Amino acid sequence: MAATQNFADIRAQFPILNQQENGHPLVYLDNGATSQKPQMVIDALARYYRQENANVHRGVYGLSERATEKYEGAREKVRQFINAASTKEVVFVRGTTEAINLVAQSWARENLKEGDEIIVTEMEHHSNIVPWQLLRDQLGIRLNVLRMNNQGEICLGALQGMVSEKTKLVAATHMSNALGTINPVKEMTEIAHSVGAKMLVDGAQACAHMAIDVADIGCDFYALSGHKMYGPTGIGVLYAKETLLEAMPPYQGGGDMIYSVTFEKTEYNVLPYKFEAGTPNISGAIGLGAAIDFLTAIGMEQVAGFEHELLAYATESLSRIDGLQIIGQAKNKGGVISFIIEGVHPHDMATLMDQDGIAVRASHHCAMPVMQHFNVPATVRASLGVYNNKADIDRLVSAIEEAKDMLL
Ligand SMILES: *Cc1c(COP(=O)(O)O)cnc(C)c1O
């Protein structure tokens, strides 16, 4: 009971949820695309620009020192949140997409050669496919796909059978944004390491929904996006093991990533600054730090437990709708429900639901190979966050029923 009370209070911290959409109270169920921001994150951003703004790592004056302290404080919060060994392993980037491109163009470009192989799963977001295709075309490497079954699950035995001494990297999502599947990334890491390959985990979706422990997973790279975990857009994190970062060439050149420059030679800055060229997204990092404070105050175990219960309720409620088919029924699944309704185009469904104030997404969810697997052009996706509740699900269900009546 205490937990229920608790989560009602949490919802009240999100001012955007107090507004109406098309004359109805907003029900926001597009957390897979981006999350809403709690007051404390909005306050942290406003406070920064009102009282703390200065460039970091440069000034000797108080304001700049305070901005630097806040920025580096946010890095320490990220370190604790993902259980990295050191803040040297926490590189601020724009988001998951940039983190993966950084690994592709720095680590992989330096270490892979023609004939080497990278394995991705069939359920990857385009951000964990296209950077490897670009690299494939640059280096002549191979990109192999670990297929999933019709529940939307991969098979560890199949991965075991695919890896060889040619495999240099396994890149997989921790949680699928299109299906909700939670992958066994720790076991996948062990398989990758058994042949000397590295493991990259795309944590863009997982970071808002479960405790993340990179030391326990054992992965070499972990990518996440601030905006999916109640933080601002334009900030994300690449975690990488220190030894790997030390050996990797810079991704971009410019200010902050150098120690000294002459026209003959440039010496690079120490970690993690070697990978943070240019003035960083200071306010974004501070906002992400506030989002981490928000999540850790609830506790990630509690977040996962709450959403698990809500997912079960939603799955049961939606399953009762005639003609509705849930796409993605993995045993280990986070708060994402993708579905189709016989005879109804997903876009028409989502458009009608918007009329009822319900924000869901109808698309391929940047995972077109997933749509190809299930032989559908798109799905409607309801994705949960900490502020959703059973009343939201009930409104979702009646809106679907109403839309069905109109469209069929
Ligand atoms: C959102 C998402 C991405 C891309 O994140 P950006 O913040 O757009 O860079 C990558 N992978 C998954 C699984 C996602 O959900």
Side-chain angles (χ1 to χ4, degrees), residues 32-33 94-98 100 123-128 173-178 202-206 224-228 235 365 381:
R94 274 197 300 134
T96 300
T97 302
E98 187 172 56
I100 296 173
M123 72 183 86
E124 294 313 308
H125 188 282
H126 298 162
S127 291
N128 199 22
T173 193
H174 199 166
M175 174 174 157
S176 160
N177 65 308
D202 170 351
Q205 207 58 232
L224 59 82
S225 293
H227 72 99
K228 297 218 174 145
I235 188 76
H365 315 297
R381 179 187 69 187

Side-chain angles (χ1 to χ4, degrees), residues 53 123 131 185 242 285 290:
N53 176 61
M123 72 183 86
V185 288
E242 187 177 340

Side-chain angles (χ1 to χ4, degrees), residues 77-100:
K77 286 175 188 180
V78 172
R79 186 200 69 72
Q80 286 181 24
F81 188 70
I82 62 173
N83 195 27
S86 153
T87 50
K88 290 181 190 167
E89 300 181 324
V90 176
V91 178
F92 281 128
V93 291
R94 274 197 300 134
T96 300
T97 302
E98 187 172 56
I100 296 173

Side-chain angles (χ1 to χ4, degrees), residues 17 33 86 131 142 147 149 186 237 267 299 316 352-353 365 406:
L17 299 177
S86 153
R142 283 176 60 95
R147 301 286 166 187
N149 65 18
K186 182 175 178 171
V237 172
E267 278 183 68
E316 203 188 300
L352 278 181
M353 290 169 74
H365 315 297
M406 291 181 70

Side-chain angles (χ1 to χ4, degrees), residues 57 71-72 75 87-93 98 102 106-107 110-111 221 238 240-260 266-278 280:
H57 305 139
Y71 180 68
E72 292 305 325
R75 197 188 306 277
T87 50
K88 290 181 190 167
E89 300 181 324
V90 176
V91 178
F92 281 128
V93 291
E98 187 172 56
L102 193 165
S106 172
W107 175 79
E110 181 87 353
N111 288 284
F221 304 103
L238 171 67
K241 284 184 179 158
E242 187 177 340
T243 47
L244 291 170
L245 285 174
E246 279 297 353
M248 281 158 59
Y251 174 53
Q252 295 178 329
D256 237 31
M257 54 74 72
I258 55 92
Y259 174 69
S260 74
T266 291
E267 278 183 68
Y268 302 128
N269 205 341
V270 294
L271 294 177
Y273 312 111
K274 184 169 90 175
F275 295 100
E276 292 182 4

Side-chain angles (χ1 to χ4, degrees), residues 13 23 44 58 117 136 218 233 240 242 282 320 331 399 402:
Q13 295 176 37
R58 292 200 178 106
E117 296 177 359
R136 177 188 64 192
T233 50
E242 187 177 340
I282 305 164
R320 282 199 290 264
K331 270 182 233 74
E402 253 175 60

